[in-house]
Amino acid sequence: MRILLTSGEPAGVGPELCAQALAARPFAAEILCLGDAALIGARAAAAGLAAVPPALQLLHEPLRAASVAGQLDVANAPYVIALLDRALAMLQSGEADAVVTAPVHKGVINDSGTPFSGHTEYLAQRCGVQRPVMMLVAGSLRVALATTHLPLQQVSAAITRESLLQVLSAMDADLRRLWNLARPRIGVCGLNPHAGEGGHLGREEIDTIRPAVAACRERGMDVSGPLPADTIFVPRESARFDAILAMFHDQGLPVLKALGFGHAVNVTLGLPILRTSVDHGTALDLAGTGRADPGSLIAAIELAIELSAARRQH
């Protein structure tokens, strides 16, 4: 089994985390890291490693400009995109089983002239997938998003009966395929406080979310909701579900990160490829200091291996 590891934004913590993760423990797969060899070597040394770990096999992709830890450079945005494109080509040709992505910086990529709202959306577009699903996993808690990187004022219009049906169908399919759940139990958050309070605090639950849930149930899925977001994450409630669908980024992810930050994993559902990632950003302030924690990257690699093995059985 071969797992690809993209080292991400060169000014961030990604390059050193790749070296730290492979130095921390052995993995039950071949790990092939995509990045600039000299950069990763220098950041490994800055993190206190005597050398790049032997387990970290490197597939060299040259930087477009010298990189300084903590200092973004728009000249290296094409390098970051090249890492993703190279990994994607290897996955599509069958040369690898999954990709684990270190964090990138959306702002500097956009400043380079390349529209980029995130790994999830970029990989989906390259794979020809209309509705990818971003899901974070921390232990038994799995939280997916109906919308991802959108301004809050655009969220309501982006949530439609059809979009929810697509997201919930992708969740149901991949929870069965990758986690071997015979009939996944999915809880769906409302958009408004108290799930709309019977229409007094908004009608999205009545007009959009409830019909989508009903359509899923008609298709044989075990989907419940809409449920108030301020109670669905209470442990006795969340334990009823194998996954929870939040309506927007900051409705579900603060809860998950409060409970599992540092070992949570981002998984993209609904793609023909398998991709996991860390639960944090580029941490420019920590880059090159050796203080960044590789825990989330280690967890992402381990989950990629586990899900790759499960997918091979189907």
Side-chain angles (χ1 to χ4, degrees):
M1 184 185 301
R2 173 182 280 176
I3 306 296
L4 304 178
L5 177 58
T6 59
S7 51
E9 167 54 50
V13 294
E16 62 208 72
L17 289 181
C18 291
Q20 289 174 289
L22 270 293
R25 69 182 68 183
F27 293 97
E30 176 188 8
I31 311 296
L32 184 57
C33 180
L34 285 70
D36 184 277
L39 170 73
I40 294 173
R43 297 294 167 78
L49 300 176
V52 174
L56 186 65
Q57 301 181 57
L58 289 172
L59 182 60
H60 178 64
E61 176 70 34
L63 284 167
R64 304 308 191 258
S67 179
V68 177
Q71 297 182 26
L72 295 171
D73 188 341
V74 70
N76 275 321
Y79 161 81
V80 175
I81 295 297
L83 298 179
L84 296 177
D85 288 346
R86 197 165 175 183
L88 184 57
M90 293 180 69
L91 290 166
Q92 291 174 329
S93 68
E95 296 174 74
D97 296 279
V99 61
V100 179
T101 57
V104 299
H105 193 283
K106 302 178 187 69
V108 76
I109 296 174
N110 281 288
D111 288 344
S112 75
T114 299
F116 189 89
S117 57
H119 276 113
T120 301
E121 297 84 356
Y122 183 80
L123 292 173
Q125 185 269 329
R126 290 298 312 278
C127 291
V129 172
Q130 179 184 4
R131 191 74 59 182
V133 179
M134 178 177 174
M135 184 171 78
L136 266 78
V137 179
S140 61
L141 182 61
R142 304 179 185 97
V143 179
L145 302 178
T147 61
T148 52
H149 301 113
L150 283 180
L152 193 56
Q153 65 179 357
Q154 297 178 18
V155 168
S156 178
I159 296 172
T160 66
R161 177 184 178 279
E162 184 57 33
S163 72
L164 290 177
L165 188 55
Q166 291 174 348
V167 168
L168 288 163
S169 296
M171 289 177 67
D172 181 80
D174 275 353
L175 286 167
R176 292 173 189 265
R177 181 171 62 105
L178 300 177
W179 276 271
N180 199 30
L181 296 170
R183 194 164 184 259
R185 302 165 300 163
I186 301 173
V188 179
C189 294
L191 174 66
N192 298 296
H194 304 172
E197 197 76 71
H200 295 287
L201 296 178
R203 292 195 54 87
E204 287 90 348
E205 288 77 13
I206 295 171
D207 296 337
T208 304
I209 303 174
R210 191 177 297 162
V213 168
C216 288
R217 295 182 71 87
E218 288 173 4
R219 297 186 181 191
M221 300 180 223
D222 189 351
V223 179
S224 302
L227 302 167
D230 64 347
T231 56
I232 194 173
F233 292 106
V234 174
R236 68 174 181 272
E237 289 298 311
S238 64
R240 297 169 46 208
F241 303 110
D242 297 304
I244 294 170
L245 178 64
M247 290 297 107
F248 56 94
H249 188 282
D250 282 11
Q251 183 184 59
L253 297 197
V255 179
L256 184 136
K257 290 189 177 186
L259 294 173
F261 190 75
H263 14 258
V265 179
N266 184 351
V267 185
T268 306
L269 307 181
L271 297 181
I273 63 167
L274 179 56
R275 175 254 175 172
T276 68
S277 190
V278 294
D279 66 349
H280 57 77
T282 52
L284 296 172
D285 57 324
L286 295 179
T289 68
R291 301 200 311 270
D293 184 352
S296 181
L297 186 60
I298 291 169
I301 295 170
E302 290 178 336
L303 186 58
I305 294 169
E306 176 187 331
L307 298 182
S308 294
R311 190 168 66 168
R312 283 185 172 192
Q313 296 172 4
H314 284 266

